[in-house]
Amino acid sequence: MAFFRSNRKRRIIIAKKKATFVCQNCEYNSPKYLGRCPNCGSWSSFVEEVEVAEVKNARVSLTGEKTKPMKLAEVTSINVNRTKTDMEEFNRVLGGGVVPGSLVLIGGDPGIGKSTLLLQVSTQLSQVGTVLYVSGEESAQQIKLRAERLGDIDSEFYLYAETNMQSVRAEVERIQPDFLIIDS
């Protein structure tokens, strides 16, 4: 389970790998494994070498600039307004509340209350912004029953029982929630 607070779109860039096989005797290169080297004639001398292509501009700073190594003392501090919940211990674990643009992963054994905790947090966050709660395990009716038991239902709380991430992404783009909770 994870929840996100975002005020900008994110893009994931994956580096492509290129594998070549190199003869350990004569350094002959081949795009596939060969039992016998056509250059020097040695048997079983090929070893796979993976070359990873460089990814450019994979990460940018909060201001949109390409990041570069810098000394910690040179980093400019920013004052981030955290969104607090009514759960002081939850706020404390997050360092004072939910940080805009952050991702928080909540893990634990089955049945210990992760979904109930996130439902409580979601209903509180819906008082300050739009929440989209995506459930991959429970139906919308099951989640509403739990919410009614907790006594928390709000109009800015969207519930979506779906496992297809393309569908989830489309709804995130349509609703543009301030908070996104993905429950398993």
Side-chain angles (χ1 to χ4, degrees):
M1 279 179 269
F3 70 88
F4 310 85
R5 175 152 189 208
S6 179
N7 39 8
R8 64 184 171 135
K9 292 185 178 180
R10 297 190 185 266
R11 187 174 56 149
I12 298 173
I13 300 172
I14 300 172
K16 294 186 177 184
K17 296 183 224 176
K18 181 181 176 187
T20 58
F21 294 88
V22 180
C23 175
Q24 296 302 293
N25 291 332
C26 69
E27 297 186 6
Y28 176 82
N29 287 314
S30 171
K32 62 181 183 175
Y33 180 81
L34 300 173
R36 182 173 184 237
C37 178
N39 191 42
C40 69
S42 64
W43 287 91
S44 301
S45 61
F46 280 90
V47 174
E48 182 179 22
E49 292 185 1
V50 178
E51 182 180 314
V52 178
E54 181 181 342
V55 177
K56 295 188 170 126
N57 296 331
R59 176 115 187 194
V60 294
S61 68
L62 291 174
T63 60
E65 299 169 2
K66 182 180 176 186
T67 60
K68 60 184 178 192
M70 57 192 320
K71 293 181 180 178
L72 182 59
E74 297 171 353
V75 176
T76 306
S77 297
I78 57 173
N79 188 14
V80 178
N81 291 329
R82 297 171 185 262
T83 304
K84 295 186 185 268
T85 67
D86 293 337
M87 301 175 182
E88 290 304 319
E89 189 66 16
F90 187 77
N91 294 335
R92 188 184 69 77
V93 168
L94 296 181
V98 180
V99 177
S102 67
L103 177 139
V104 178
L105 178 66
I106 308 228
D109 293 330
I112 65 166
K114 299 178 297 292
S115 296
T116 301
L117 173 67
L118 286 178
L119 185 59
Q120 289 173 313
V121 169
S122 300
T123 56
Q124 290 178 17
L125 292 175
S126 70
Q127 296 171 10
V128 295
T130 305
V131 174
L132 174 59
Y133 186 105
V134 179
S135 175
E137 292 181 354
E138 296 178 307
S139 70
Q141 292 77 18
Q142 289 173 307
I143 296 168
K144 183 169 182 179
L145 282 172
R146 187 179 316 117
E148 288 172 342
R149 281 194 316 266
L150 296 171
D152 294 329
I153 296 178
D154 194 283
S155 61
E156 293 303 310
F157 185 109
Y158 290 87
L159 183 57
Y160 190 37
E162 181 59 66
T163 58
N164 183 303
M165 286 307 293
Q166 289 176 330
S167 299
V168 170
R169 182 177 182 167
E171 289 305 315
V172 168
E173 290 175 0
R174 184 181 71 80
I175 296 171
Q176 296 188 355
D178 297 306
F179 302 95
L180 172 64
I181 287 81
I182 299 179
D183 191 350
S184 300

